[in-house]
Amino acid sequence: MKFTEYQDLLPSEIRETVQNIHAELSAMGFTEEIKEAKSGPVLSYIKDKKVLLNYVYRKSGIKVRLYAAGIAAYEDCLAVLPDSMKAELKKATDCKKLNGLTCTPTCPGGYTYTLDGELLKKCRSMAFLMTLNQKTAEYIQTLILREAGER
C-alpha cells in the first residue's frame, strides 16, 4: 500500500492534517512505511532507522504513537494541550525501568516529562499514544514536527 491509498482510508476531518504532516516529514528526510496489522494498516515514519511515529487504528479511532525522545526540548508544548489530551498522557502506562522495576530486555526505557507540574515517567510505547481527531489534530501536528526537528 502506498500513502496515496492510505490517505483515502482516513476520515475526512483529519485527512488534510495527515497530508500536511506527511509533506513536512518527507521534506525533512523521513520515509514512510505501511504495514498491515489486525486492526488496520499502520503508517510509520522513519529516519536513520529510528521510528518517529505510527498511525494506528483502534476501535476508538485513529491514534498517533509519537516516540518523543526529545520531549525535554519542547515540554512547553504540553501546557497548551486540551484537557482531553492531557488526560490521555497522564493515564498512559508508567515505565517500569524508570520506576526501578524490570521490563523486557530490549526495552530502552520510557520518557520523563512534566505535565501540569506533575513529574511523569511513562512507557515509551504508551506515553504519547494520542487520539487523532479534529480537536486534537493541530496539537498533535505541533508535537510531531517539534520532535522531528530534534532528530
Side-chain angles (χ1 to χ4, degrees), residues 127-142:
F128 290 92
L129 182 63
M130 304 165 285
T131 302
L132 180 59
N133 57 40
Q134 196 170 13
K135 293 177 184 173
T136 63
E138 176 187 341
Y139 300 100
I140 290 174
Q141 182 172 350
T142 298

Side-chain angles (χ1 to χ4, degrees), residues 14-144:
I14 62 168
R15 188 173 298 134
E16 185 177 347
T17 299
V18 173
Q19 289 168 335
N20 291 341
I21 292 169
H22 175 78
E24 292 268 358
L25 294 178
S26 295
M28 295 171 83
F30 286 87
T31 58
E32 80 265 8
E33 179 179 277
I34 301 172
K35 292 183 179 179
E36 287 298 323
K38 191 166 89 172
S39 58
V42 175
L43 170 60
S44 302
Y45 286 90
I46 303 160
K47 186 175 183 181
D48 300 327
K49 298 183 183 179
K50 292 187 180 183
V51 177
L52 171 69
L53 71 98
N54 308 115
Y55 290 102
V56 294
Y57 282 81
R58 295 286 191 262
K59 289 178 184 174
S60 59
I62 295 179
K63 301 266 189 176
V64 173
R65 176 178 289 123
L66 177 63
Y67 295 99
I71 186 62
Y74 57 93
E75 204 172 71
D76 58 309
C77 290
L78 301 178
V80 299
L81 297 178
D83 290 340
S84 62
M85 287 184 72
K86 288 181 179 182
E88 275 188 315
L89 297 179
K90 288 180 180 182
K91 81 172 189 174
T93 308
D94 288 336
C95 175
K96 292 177 183 177
K97 279 192 173 180
L98 292 176
N99 287 296
L101 302 172
T102 304
C103 192
T104 63
T106 58
C107 176
Y111 309 124
T112 301
Y113 56 95
T114 303
L115 179 59
D116 292 340
E118 181 181 353
L119 182 67
L120 302 173
K121 297 178 179 183
K122 298 296 183 177
C123 170
R124 75 184 294 270
S125 295
M126 302 303 289
F128 290 92
L129 182 63
M130 304 165 285
T131 302
L132 180 59
N133 57 40
Q134 196 170 13
K135 293 177 184 173
T136 63
E138 176 187 341
Y139 300 100
I140 290 174
Q141 182 172 350
T142 298
L143 292 171
I144 289 169

